[in-house]
Amino acid sequence: MKLKQRDRQILAIALPSIVSNITVPLLGLVDVAIMGHVGDAVYIGAIAVGAMIFNLVYWIFGFLRMGTSGMTSQALGRRDLPEVTLLLARSLAVAMGVALLLLLLREPLLWLMLLLIKPTPDVAPLAARYFHVCVWGAPAMLGLYGLMGWFIGMQNTRAPMLISIMQNVVNIAASLLLVVVGGLKIEGVALGTVIAQWAGFLVGLWLLALRYGRLRRHFRPGGVLVRGAMARFFTVNRDIFLRTLCLVAVNLYFTSAGARQGAVILAVNTLLLQLYLLFSYVMDGFAYAGEAVCGRYYGARNRVAFGDTLRRLFFWGGLMTVAFTAVYAIGGTPFLRLLTTDESVILASAEYFPWAVAIPAAGVLAFIWDGVFVGITATRAMLLSLVVAAAAFFATYLALAGLMGNHALWLAMIVYLFMRGMAETVAYRFVIKG
């Protein structure tokens, strides 16, 4: 199949992003694997709790990536190079400010996270030791969010891919050296993670200087903290922040509602969610393409190229939906056997498996529109659409839980994904497009 120019643009952004996304969970998996071979179950549990804390905290501050990406792609489309450089400076400044707050408030933050997660008494102290080391990676991680968003806005997803791969290599090497050779246990894997995070940030700065050093002549330090520009920066990121809180609320409730139905149902839901995560890793690549390419043409006010990009994004989204639905329908159970050998959980999954097969069709619109809306910085519409979808999730589950049990939870998730996409479709056609 001969690719059109717009398809090549989309895939040039999407494919490296997919590779980057797939490597993200490896940072946590490496720590668990190392502890699984040199420690006992308590250490594995502590790593899982510690990783959950940082995943939740960093997820909440993901606006640093998304807001930077959309505004940068638009500035690039306008060929406003001074604003391009200022956006990077603003993003990094905010990232360092947030990181400083996290470091100053690390003890209250740890207390709150342990209160929410409720680990067992033998796990909590070890999780705290992991946290006290890993928290010093916060400036690097949040700085990387700003850098990654800026790279994507500049139509460059190869740099984030290289950073992600390098981080995993450094994490494996440093953790093995500290734990196996150095004799450290939980502090060793935590320190290995921190080293990998800072290595990634420093490599990101190096790639920035190497590829974009020529932009320094456009930088005006006095423009970083201009009130109007900072107000827009915070308005865009505030909407994304609130939207992320809604996402977190839905995901946490889904997990807790499954947990209340017993260990087997919790295990079933956790396994089936892996199918959702796998689809999301791929679709996020196309969402990033929407951020970068749609944002650039939106900033350039090129309606023809913008519309063409939108159509091709939905074409690729449809193609991925058909492919994933077919793969899940045919090979889903063998995939589950790769994740667990517990036959009771695999057998129990069969009853709920059709819901997981429905995930790609229900969620494809939401993934594509999310990328487009970030690219055109229609963040208020994104927020309101997610509020509508979250309300539909809770209403569906609470109305049907007594009748359908865990089926009601999965139906609510499908309704939630579908409503996200439909609400954004309506918002685009009747509010944004006019």
Side-chain angles (χ1 to χ4, degrees):
M1 181 179 69
K2 186 176 181 180
L3 296 175
K4 298 179 180 179
Q5 177 190 355
R6 209 70 66 213
D7 292 321
R8 289 196 294 271
Q9 280 183 292
I10 290 170
L11 293 178
I13 302 293
L15 295 180
S17 297
I18 292 168
V19 174
S20 299
N21 291 340
I22 291 174
T23 64
V24 168
L26 291 180
L27 281 171
L29 288 174
V30 167
D31 291 348
V32 171
I34 291 173
M35 279 292 93
H37 285 86
V38 301
D40 55 28
V42 176
Y43 284 94
I44 297 173
I47 293 290
V49 170
M52 186 186 303
I53 291 173
F54 287 105
N55 287 341
L56 186 58
V57 170
Y58 292 144
W59 190 17
I60 289 173
F61 292 108
F63 64 81
L64 287 167
R65 188 204 64 74
M66 289 189 284
T68 303
S69 170
M71 287 184 281
T72 300
S73 63
Q74 289 184 36
L76 181 66
R78 297 191 303 270
R79 302 303 298 168
D80 187 351
L81 297 182
E83 181 63 11
V84 164
T85 62
L86 290 172
L87 282 165
L88 175 61
R90 287 184 197 120
S91 183
L92 291 178
V94 172
M96 293 305 112
V98 171
L100 179 60
L101 280 176
L102 290 178
L103 290 174
L104 292 174
L105 300 175
R106 60 187 181 276
E107 294 302 334
L109 176 63
L110 174 62
W111 174 83
L112 177 62
M113 290 293 103
L114 293 179
L115 182 68
L116 291 173
I117 298 172
K118 296 184 176 64
T120 57
D122 55 342
V123 168
L126 291 173
R129 284 160 57 184
Y130 180 87
F131 174 90
H132 283 127
V133 175
C134 273
V135 73
W136 294 100
M141 280 300 295
L142 295 177
L144 267 173
Y145 277 11
L147 277 176
M148 297 286 202
W150 191 83
F151 282 136
I152 292 169
M154 296 295 288
Q155 324 290 291
N156 179 359
T157 52
R158 290 188 179 182
M161 179 184 71
L162 292 173
I163 292 168
S164 297
I165 293 172
M166 185 279 303
Q167 274 188 299
N168 280 286
V169 171
V170 171
N171 187 39
I172 293 170
S175 296
L176 285 173
L177 184 65
L178 291 166
V179 175
V180 178
V181 179
L184 299 176
K185 287 196 174 181
I186 200 159
E187 288 85 359
V189 294
L191 187 56
T193 298
V194 172
I195 291 170
Q197 289 167 343
W198 277 102
F201 184 51
L202 293 176
V203 168
L205 292 176
W206 175 72
L207 290 173
L208 174 71
L210 187 69
R211 177 74 187 273
Y212 301 102
R214 67 187 186 282
L215 293 180
R216 281 179 294 188
R217 66 178 184 273
H218 298 285
F219 181 59
R220 304 290 182 268
V224 175
L225 301 178
V226 171
R227 179 179 296 181
M230 287 298 290
R232 181 169 184 266
F233 187 86
F234 279 112
T235 298
V236 168
N237 287 319
R238 178 199 61 203
D239 292 339
I240 297 174
F241 175 76
L242 294 174
R243 172 184 174 275
T244 304
L245 290 182
C246 290
L247 280 168
V248 170
V250 169
N251 288 325
L252 285 179
Y253 190 87
F254 184 92
T255 301
S256 64
R260 288 196 296 270
Q261 299 178 67
V264 172
I265 292 297
L266 176 60
V268 166
N269 289 353
T270 301
L271 282 179
L272 294 182
L273 275 179
Q274 303 313 304
L275 300 177
Y276 169 62
L277 290 175
L278 182 59
F279 180 67
S280 73
Y281 291 146
V282 173
M283 290 311 302
D284 274 344
F286 290 96
Y288 291 174
E291 294 176 26
V293 185
C294 284
R296 181 175 183 176
Y297 288 133
Y298 185 82
R301 300 189 178 184
N302 188 336
R303 296 177 65 88
V304 173
F306 179 88
D308 189 35
T309 301
L310 200 58
R311 286 188 291 274
R312 301 313 297 171
L313 281 169
F314 281 110
F315 165 78
W316 285 104
L319 199 62
M320 292 298 104
T321 298
V322 171
F324 271 86
T325 301
V327 169
Y328 288 171
I330 296 169
T333 301
F335 176 76
L336 294 181
R337 292 186 185 279
L338 293 176
L339 301 177
T340 181
T341 57
D342 190 327
E343 287 296 326
S344 65
V345 173
I346 293 172
L347 289 173
S349 299
E351 182 180 350
Y352 305 101
F353 197 81
W355 295 116
V357 175
I359 284 173
V364 62
L365 286 178
F367 283 105
I368 298 296
W369 279 127
D370 280 352
V372 174
F373 277 35
V374 168
I376 65 177
T377 56
T379 52
R380 181 58 52 85
M382 284 180 68
L383 170 60
L384 294 177
S385 297
L386 194 74
V387 169
V388 169
F393 169 85
F394 288 110
T396 301
Y397 180 67
L398 295 175
L400 299 175
L403 296 173
M404 298 175 63
N406 197 48
H407 285 289
L409 190 59
W410 276 101
L411 174 60
M413 176 60 75
I414 296 299
V415 169
Y416 159 74
L417 291 172
F418 179 75
M419 286 301 298
R420 273 176 60 186
M422 290 306 298
E424 286 175 316
T425 301
V426 171
Y428 179 77
R429 289 188 174 181
F430 296 102
V431 179
I432 298 169
K433 189 177 180 181

